[in-house]
Amino acid sequence: MEPLTDKQIRTSFVNCTKGEATRMRLPADFAELPWEELDFLGWVDPGAPLKAHLVLPREDGPTGITLRVPSAGRTSAVKSSMCQACLTGHAASGVTLFAAPLAGTAGREGNTVGTYLCADLACSLYVRGKRQPKLRHGRYEENLTLEEQIARTMGNLSAFADKVLGLR
């Protein structure tokens, strides 16, 4: 992913107000982000832990999506879950249902769409093997190349963004 500026990130959001985008906090480690290892930028807002944000590179420029994070609930230590973007298996607490208000009028009326993603939004790092999920066996081995796994992850996130934008 190409590095983005604070202004590029804040102006990319499609499902929140300009004021909300201005008030959101960027990742605590924003200055040290490993942009070359990221396919998208995702973080839980350090000032509002029930909000998270995604910024996806798209043909028409970066697209930012604000997400709601459910309040912490009980999770099972024996169950596992899978991220719908990168298909990384995690212990149940490693995957979270993120809900995004739809862009435009539909979102202002309370309509949302959701998806299960890595709770830390670090799909890029899991795909590259830079971070390991908390499973006994680690990440499942795949026959796809790294480039194919990245393309699949970004295709899944792009499809989610299309739903937020009302394109699907």
Side-chain angles (χ1 to χ4, degrees):
M1 179 174 190
E2 293 294 321
L4 299 172
T5 66
D6 179 301
K7 183 177 180 180
Q8 287 173 306
I9 291 170
R10 293 180 192 282
T11 59
S12 73
F13 283 87
V14 297
N15 66 339
C16 69
T17 67
K18 288 181 182 179
E20 289 170 325
T22 300
R23 289 187 299 275
M24 75 176 56
R25 291 191 183 161
L26 295 178
D29 60 348
F30 183 70
E32 295 88 37
L33 285 174
W35 292 101
E36 65 283 350
E37 295 176 356
L38 298 178
D39 305 302
F40 67 94
L41 178 60
W43 75 100
V44 175
D45 193 318
L50 296 181
K51 286 194 177 228
H53 312 285
L54 290 177
V55 180
L56 309 172
R58 293 177 51 110
E59 287 182 21
D60 53 344
T63 299
I65 299 171
T66 294
L67 306 163
R68 287 195 308 252
V69 181
S71 58
R74 294 182 2 193
T75 59
S76 170
V78 282
K79 290 186 178 180
S80 61
S81 300
M82 185 173 285
C83 172
Q84 290 181 332
C86 67
L87 304 186
T88 297
H90 290 271
S93 62
V95 172
T96 299
L97 174 63
F98 289 93
L102 296 179
T105 304
R108 289 189 294 275
E109 292 173 353
N111 296 308
T112 62
V113 64
T115 189
Y116 288 93
L117 299 173
C118 296
D120 57 6
L121 298 170
C123 298
S124 299
L125 300 178
Y126 290 113
V127 167
R128 286 171 172 75
K130 304 281 183 182
R131 188 172 290 179
Q132 291 297 315
K134 293 177 184 163
L135 280 178
R136 281 182 279 149
H137 307 294
R139 191 163 191 274
Y140 301 113
E141 191 170 325
E142 294 193 65
N143 292 330
L144 298 177
T145 66
L146 176 60
E147 291 75 24
E148 291 169 330
Q149 291 178 54
I150 292 168
R152 179 188 60 206
T153 299
M154 293 310 294
N156 292 338
L157 287 172
S158 184
F160 177 67
D162 287 349
K163 289 178 186 176
V164 171
L165 291 165
L167 302 175
R168 285 191 178 192

